[in-house]
Amino acid sequence: LMSNLFSAYLPNNMLGPVVFKLADFNVFGADQIFASQLLRPVSGEPHMLRHSVGLGAPAPFSFSVRLKLVMLGKPHEWLVNVSLSHFLLNLSTSVLFESGHVTTMNLAQLLQDPGRLLCGIHALSIAPTSHVDPGATLDILLRSDRISH
């Protein structure tokens, strides 16, 4: 039984309907997180916050997801495995409020969709913990699965 993470239907005149699905998301080595820093203010930019988290030390941090794609009426399916060792995930977010939304929202709307207040992600990067770190690895495995009809 496949648990859907994300699904999109895209009408296309040339390819016919395109269906894109991500499912069966699994995380391994979630306890291999280090050097976490959340909600760190950025000097000189009062509306920005930086967040970082180290992944994959001492053992790898990995995840897998099933990718399904239907194009030209034909189904395609892959299992994508990603494994990280000694990597740092960096994220910068803006905390500017969109004042037009604030003045028209009540508390229930804010609690239901707090993301409407934020401008969003400013930058996202993933890099080895050090440019000379021999333990830093990124492995991506894409395996096609046979689909039974």
Side-chain angles (χ1 to χ4, degrees):
L1 185 64
M2 184 176 289
S3 58
N4 283 330
L5 179 66
F6 174 80
S7 184
Y9 175 85
L10 308 167
N12 186 298
N13 291 336
M14 289 180 51
L15 300 174
V18 175
V19 179
F20 176 83
K21 290 183 181 182
L22 293 176
D24 298 339
F25 183 75
N26 294 294
V27 174
F28 309 96
D31 58 342
Q32 304 305 316
I33 294 175
F34 64 95
S36 298
Q37 293 185 347
L38 301 176
L39 304 172
R40 189 178 59 203
V42 177
S43 177
E45 298 181 61
H47 63 281
M48 296 295 295
L49 292 174
R50 291 233 169 92
H51 324 279
S52 64
V53 63
L55 301 170
F61 172 87
S62 59
F63 63 90
S64 67
V65 66
R66 188 166 302 279
L67 168 64
K68 293 183 82 173
L69 184 65
V70 177
M71 287 187 347
L72 299 171
K74 294 184 180 182
H76 306 277
E77 188 171 323
W78 299 272
L79 182 62
V80 180
N81 293 299
V82 177
S83 179
L84 300 161
S85 292
H86 300 272
F87 267 77
L88 199 58
L89 178 67
N90 298 297
L91 176 67
S92 295
T93 56
S94 171
V95 291
L96 286 176
F97 292 105
E98 295 182 11
S99 60
H101 287 195
V102 175
T103 58
T104 61
M105 292 176 65
N106 62 37
L107 182 59
Q109 291 169 319
L110 173 62
L111 293 174
Q112 183 179 6
D113 187 12
R116 289 170 52 178
L117 292 176
L118 300 177
C119 290
I121 295 174
H122 178 69
L124 175 66
S125 69
I126 187 163
T129 52
S130 163
H131 294 293
V132 294
D133 188 349
T137 62
L138 170 63
D139 299 314
I140 300 174
L141 173 65
L142 182 64
R143 188 182 81 219
S144 176
D145 287 347
R146 188 173 207 112
I147 299 174
S148 58
H149 292 20

